[in-house]
Amino acid sequence: MSGGWRLITVGLVGMATLAATVLLGPFVALVAVAIAAVILAIALRPQMSVYLVILIGLTAYPAFVPYQVTLGSFTIFVYEPVLFIAAVWSFVLLRGRKGIVGRTCVLLGLVAIWGAAGIAVGNPVIEVIGDARGLVNVALFAMVAASIFGTIYERTSLKVLLASLWVSAVVTLLSSLVGFPVAGRREDASLVLVDGGATASGATRLLTAATEISVLVLCVAIALAITGKVRLNRLVPYIIPATIITALGFSRNSVLAIGVAVILAFLVARTSIRSVAKIIGAVLAITLLFILGAAAGAPGAAYVSDQVTAFTGRVLNGLSSSTVASDSSALARQSENAYAGAAFAESPIVGHGLGYAYRPAVGEAGTFSATKGQYYAHNFWLWTLVKSGVLGLMAILICFLAPVLVALRTSDLIAKALAAAMIGLLVSMFFAPFVNDPGNGGSLAVGALLGATWGSIAAVRSHSRVLTDAV
């Protein structure tokens, strides 16, 4: 663009901004200009859509930043239009990687078939869409992640993810420290027991759009450190913010996912004693630093002590059988599983279709358990069996588990580390339906890891560059 046309463009944009400010107000004008800037950036460089999905969909922001827009009775998450553009661009980029496109089509085909089945049997259309969108977002972002794996766009995407993690860590930490309102769930970190008691807690639990991607980042980063393929000092910038966000989420499924990933990474990587010693040494050094700080009465020591106490009470002690037996949340999930098991038994082969209410309304009218909770289950695998039966579960496992098994059989440590993280995720999905959390970053997080696993297999087969040089 010549200097004259550039000047004219800037002038027109300035005039439009001024007019919008006068007519609509400064906030609406700012939003309109931001949307126009995003559209222009994507039009000039379509790969920007990938980075924007990370920044919009996987970052924790203050509560006043909108994560979704409501149109009548339907909600659109802000990242979804950008995700669609990124998926189209990725599809063009993926010419020649038919395996990745094929897996994406299987997931989308599953949604189409069982969505149509749900509508055919009379399930509410709005609930069919609600059940479908998580898996659609997983499929689309998996294709995006797979398409950029081993390409020049991978390095930039990881840098954007790193920036997203640090912004999210700061926002989450501020919310925990001073009550700064953040988009997402904010609640007391204690467990509510059926006898009326609760675990001790002076902490606040924060679940944001960055929580689930942080768990998976830790799974991958620790698995990579265990393999010794990537040096620990190159992973620390990712580990620190992801640890802060994960810890302040106080979720037991996060410990389960990370634990399984770590154990599997040790088994498949043939890790040297030196690598193990470095990891253990780093953990002990950080622990010792906290202990010494608390003993010396360092600033923030009381806050850290409260978080550790809450984490121990809710997460670590919350995994014991005695706590689970009296934890109201765990008992509610057991009730969910019983209803889901009964619904599965009624139609085990093909399921009931998307949008099926597998349990009755529970609790006060208008609450989640009395409305959307009838369609939502914390055990993703049982949820899949209820909605799509054994046939649907097999189709999903082809896309989720088969690539993991292939990656574990390769000699590439990057692929094995991603596979270890993926198995950690798959195990945790017995308790946390990451796929069905499109409004909280969950489906994007699953898509990112799934796509990276697909991409690692394609990279090994084509002998292209993998993740090592990009971290």
Side-chain angles (χ1 to χ4, degrees):
M1 181 182 291
S2 65
W5 280 110
R6 186 179 294 112
L7 183 62
I8 291 173
T9 301
V10 171
L12 290 174
V13 171
M15 291 173 61
T17 303
L18 179 61
T21 302
V22 173
L23 296 174
L24 304 175
F27 180 74
V28 176
L30 180 62
V31 172
V33 170
I35 293 173
V38 168
I39 293 173
L40 180 61
I42 292 175
L44 294 175
R45 295 187 177 183
Q47 65 270 25
M48 289 291 294
S49 59
V50 180
Y51 315 142
L52 286 171
V53 171
I54 297 171
L55 291 175
I56 298 173
L58 292 172
T59 308
Y61 288 112
F64 62 80
V65 177
Y67 193 77
Q68 62 189 41
V69 177
T70 301
L71 301 174
S73 60
F74 189 69
T75 297
I76 298 176
F77 300 111
V78 177
Y79 67 82
E80 287 181 321
V82 185
L83 173 60
F84 179 78
I85 295 171
V88 172
W89 173 76
S90 299
F91 180 79
V92 175
L93 193 67
L94 274 171
R95 288 174 299 182
R97 295 190 182 185
K98 296 180 180 178
I100 293 171
V101 174
R103 294 187 188 100
T104 304
C105 289
V106 169
L107 287 177
L108 294 178
L110 174 67
V111 172
I113 292 171
W114 270 275
I119 293 173
V121 298
N123 296 339
V125 175
I126 192 68
E127 302 302 340
V128 171
I129 295 173
D131 278 353
R133 73 191 309 171
L135 201 52
V136 169
N137 289 343
V138 168
L140 295 181
F141 204 48
M143 184 170 67
V144 171
S147 70
I148 65 173
F149 193 94
T151 72
I152 59 174
Y153 309 112
E154 178 189 330
R155 186 187 300 263
T156 304
S157 296
L158 287 170
K159 289 180 179 178
V160 172
L161 175 60
L162 182 61
S164 169
L165 288 171
W166 277 104
V167 169
S168 300
V170 170
V171 170
T172 305
L173 195 56
L174 282 174
S175 181
S176 178
L177 281 167
V178 299
F180 182 76
V182 63
R185 287 172 55 191
R186 180 184 171 88
E187 59 194 32
D188 187 82
S190 61
L191 291 176
V192 179
L193 307 179
V194 292
D195 59 5
T199 57
S201 172
T204 300
R205 186 185 187 206
L206 295 162
L207 299 175
T208 69
T211 301
E212 291 168 349
I213 190 65
S214 296
V215 174
L216 300 187
V217 165
L218 284 178
C219 289
V220 174
I222 296 173
L224 286 171
I226 290 171
T227 64
K229 185 71 174 179
V230 180
R231 289 179 296 177
L232 186 60
N233 64 312
R234 299 174 71 183
L235 295 167
V236 167
Y238 291 86
I239 291 175
I240 292 175
T243 299
I244 293 171
I245 297 165
T246 300
L248 293 177
F250 295 98
S251 293
R252 285 168 282 186
N253 61 72
S254 62
V255 173
L256 180 63
I258 295 168
V260 172
V262 167
I263 292 171
L264 192 61
F266 273 117
L267 293 176
V268 302
R270 300 177 183 178
T271 307
S272 67
I273 296 177
R274 184 177 178 183
S275 298
V276 175
K278 285 182 179 179
I279 297 170
I280 294 176
V283 173
L284 290 177
I286 294 172
T287 304
L288 181 61
L289 182 64
F290 281 131
I291 292 174
L292 292 176
Y303 168 79
V304 173
S305 177
D306 285 342
Q307 308 312 304
V308 171
T309 300
F311 193 86
T312 302
R314 178 185 177 88
V315 179
L316 301 183
N317 294 339
L319 293 171
S320 67
S321 58
S322 58
T323 302
V324 170
S326 58
D327 173 21
S328 58
S329 175
L331 294 176
R333 297 188 187 201
Q334 290 177 19
S335 175
E336 277 186 0
N337 292 345
Y339 280 116
F344 165 65
E346 294 173 1
S347 183
I349 305 301
V350 297
H352 298 273
L354 299 183
Y356 174 72
Y358 72 96
R359 69 167 178 81
V362 177
E364 297 180 9
T367 61
F368 178 82
S369 61
T371 54
K372 297 293 184 181
Q374 299 176 80
Y375 309 90
Y376 178 97
H378 287 82
N379 186 326
F380 174 74
W381 303 113
L382 263 180
W383 179 92
T384 301
L385 286 170
V386 169
K387 308 289 181 168
S388 60
V390 173
L391 291 179
L393 178 65
M394 291 174 61
I396 286 183
L397 288 178
I398 288 173
C399 300
F400 278 57
L401 188 57
V404 170
L405 299 178
V406 173
L408 290 175
R409 290 200 300 267
T410 69
S411 59
D412 186 82
L413 293 178
I414 299 296
K416 288 185 175 182
L418 290 168
M422 192 69 199
I423 290 181
L425 168 65
L426 297 181
V427 171
S428 70
M429 281 163 57
F430 280 98
F431 308 96
F434 289 0
V435 171
N436 292 335
D437 280 339
N440 209 28
S443 57
L444 289 180
V446 174
L449 180 56
L450 180 62
T453 307
W454 290 356
S456 70
I457 298 171
V460 169
R461 288 173 174 171
S462 62
H463 304 287
S464 63
R465 181 181 65 81
V466 290
L467 194 60
T468 310
D469 297 332
V471 177

